[in-house]
Amino acid sequence: MDEKTHTFRYTVHGEDFLSAGEASMHAKRTLKELGYSSDLIRRVSVAMYEGEINMFIHAGGGEAKMEVGENEITVTLIDWGAGIPDVDMAMREGYSTATADIRSLGFGAGMGLPNMKRFADELTVSSTVGVGTKVVMRFAIRNKE
């Protein structure tokens, strides 16, 4: 991370469905205020939203951190849920372990991790069953608007 880094921390609540997405909305607003390009803001906020929804659905919440440096933005998502038994399988489009109740709400289509990979310049997922999951996404800053 760059020397001039600004860190923003968010709690992802797992018990309030209406709060899902608040961290990514706040991050989007912050990046807009800082003058970043609409493309970068979209990529960060969409990827972060996907991660938030995963934490809500599968882990009962967690923590999100966005570090804004001179050359990159790093988003780190940490939860203490059940963990992902097979990360490679979870990265496949359409693979989901979401319950029928979650699917009936329009979530759990198995696109969360694939979309995070699509929008981030770099994605790292580490998970331990019974302990939780850590997702790190990096986004290169190419220009400001």
Side-chain angles (χ1 to χ4, degrees):
M1 194 94 271
D2 306 311
E3 287 187 32
K4 294 181 182 179
T5 301
H6 301 282
T7 302
F8 304 89
R9 296 179 188 280
Y10 313 96
T11 299
V12 177
H13 299 283
E15 57 279 343
D16 179 12
F17 193 73
L18 296 177
S19 72
E22 284 183 359
S24 57
M25 285 189 308
H26 187 273
K28 180 179 181 177
R29 191 172 28 244
T30 299
L31 294 173
K32 187 173 184 175
E33 289 170 4
L34 293 172
Y36 289 98
S37 72
S38 57
D39 178 64
L40 178 61
I41 293 169
R42 180 183 59 81
R43 292 187 315 112
V44 171
S45 61
V46 168
M48 193 169 173
Y49 177 79
E50 293 283 10
E52 275 184 87
I53 294 300
N54 277 357
M55 286 193 288
F56 176 83
I57 291 171
H58 300 290
E63 295 178 358
K65 178 175 67 171
M66 179 175 71
E67 297 172 287
V68 181
E70 291 181 36
N71 299 310
E72 74 177 10
I73 295 170
T74 302
V75 174
T76 304
L77 308 169
I78 298 174
D79 71 56
W80 298 273
I84 303 171
D86 187 339
V87 172
D88 290 335
M89 180 71 80
M91 292 298 297
R92 293 184 184 172
E93 289 187 12
Y95 177 80
S96 178
T97 59
T99 65
D101 289 343
I102 293 297
R103 289 175 191 241
S104 73
L105 295 172
F107 297 97
M111 293 304 295
L113 286 170
N115 278 338
M116 285 185 258
K117 183 177 182 179
R118 182 175 293 112
F119 287 105
D121 291 309
E122 181 183 323
L123 172 72
T124 305
V125 179
S126 56
S127 190
T128 302
V129 174
V131 176
T133 302
K134 179 179 180 180
V135 174
V136 179
M137 296 178 281
R138 298 187 193 287
F139 304 84
I141 297 173
R142 293 177 181 92
N143 56 15
K144 282 192 168 185
E145 281 190 329

